[in-house]
Each structure stands twice: as C-alpha cells, then as structure tokens.
Amino acid sequence: MLVDRLDREILAELQKDGRQTITELSEKVRLSISRCQRRLRELERAGVIRGYKAVLDPEAVGLGFEALVFVTLQREDQSTLAAFDEAVAAIPNVLQAQRLFGDPDCLLHIVAADLADYRKLYEGQLTRLPGVQKLTSTIVMKQIVEARPLPT
C-alpha cells in the first residue's frame, strides 16, 4: 500500500490520540467522515495501523524498575534462534526484544517491581533462556525520551 499525504495526516493524528472519534479525526484532516473512515479502514486492513492500545504508567501499576539486558548467544543456528525467540516472547516482563547485528546478539527491555523482583526474573528465567552464553544488565536511571509516535 502506498501511503500518501492524507494517510500520513490521519496516522499523525491517531498517534497523538487514538481514542478520538471519526468525526474529530475527519475534521482535523479536512475530509468527509465517509472518506476518512474508508482511508482509516484501508490503513487498518493493509496493516499500516497494527492496533490501538492504552499507554500505562509503569510505576502506577507497580513496575517502576527497568533494565536493559544485552544477550550474547552461544550459537546462532535456526533452531537456537527460534527457541530463544519463543522463550523471550513468553516472558510478560519483556517489553521489547530486538535482535542486533554484531555483539551482543539481542537487547531486551525489561520491567519489574523492584531490584529483588528483577533478580528473581533474571535468575529464574533470563539465565535459563535457550542458547544464552552471557547476559549483561544495565539499570535504567531515567527516561529521557518516552516511546514516541513514528515520524510521519
């Protein structure tokens, strides 16, 4: 799907406020409600819009401790990578997991209640991930830039 200027305006507005009504959205992008809704449905159908969600304050839900974990794998064969990916995806405290080029092999963004909770997660699950050779943790001191909308 080719995303044009109007689609980008729609996407920018939805990233600011995904709860706005189609009427509000159509007014902001200067389209009729029916044209705006058609474009919106096409963006959803094409997978440009992958979903809608609420953004939570980690501290408010008892998950104010954050760590970045760099993972070096013993091997990078297909079965090890598949097993590692599946096991990481099953850990709810992993907010984001990225495979990297070079060393280390992966970066995990993890939340926990506190240091003791993180240590339990680290010792009980992270060290047991398939194919792990080495884990290096860095504690997040402060969020400087929160997850932000994609530039449109």
Side-chain angles (χ1 to χ4, degrees):
M1 170 181 188
L2 185 60
V3 178
D4 67 13
R5 181 190 57 78
L6 278 172
D7 292 333
R8 289 182 187 282
E9 284 184 44
I10 291 169
L11 295 170
E13 288 300 327
L14 286 174
Q15 287 187 106
K16 290 177 194 171
D17 180 6
R19 293 188 62 175
Q20 62 188 297
T21 67
I22 193 70
T23 303
E24 293 167 329
L25 180 60
S26 65
E27 288 172 5
K28 288 177 183 172
V29 298
R30 297 164 309 283
L31 284 176
S32 69
I33 292 172
S34 60
R35 284 188 59 210
C36 186
Q37 191 164 36
R38 275 195 298 274
R39 282 180 173 264
L40 180 59
R41 297 297 171 244
E42 180 58 24
L43 290 165
E44 291 169 345
R45 188 198 60 71
V48 176
I49 297 173
R50 298 191 306 195
Y52 300 89
K53 62 183 178 184
V55 179
L56 307 180
D57 177 351
E59 286 193 35
V61 295
L63 296 170
F65 183 91
E66 293 182 61
L68 301 176
V69 180
F70 299 93
V71 182
T72 302
L73 298 172
Q74 295 168 347
R75 296 178 308 284
E76 293 184 62
D77 59 274
Q78 198 62 25
S79 62
T80 301
L81 292 175
F84 176 83
D85 291 354
E86 185 178 333
V88 165
I91 302 172
N93 295 67
V94 176
L95 296 184
Q96 193 171 32
Q98 299 170 316
R99 176 127 355 144
L100 309 173
F101 281 110
D103 188 38
D105 299 306
C106 296
L107 171 62
L108 309 178
H109 182 184
I110 296 177
V111 292
D114 53 29
L115 181 59
D117 188 40
Y118 175 69
R119 186 179 62 246
K120 189 167 66 173
L121 176 72
Y122 184 93
E123 293 171 353
Q125 294 183 55
L126 299 179
T127 60
R128 297 175 186 186
L129 288 168
V132 168
Q133 175 183 332
K134 177 181 166 187
L135 298 171
T136 305
S137 296
T138 300
I139 297 170
V140 175
M141 179 187 346
K142 173 185 174 186
Q143 288 289 343
I144 298 171
V145 176
E146 296 288 331
R148 61 171 67 149
L150 293 174
T152 55

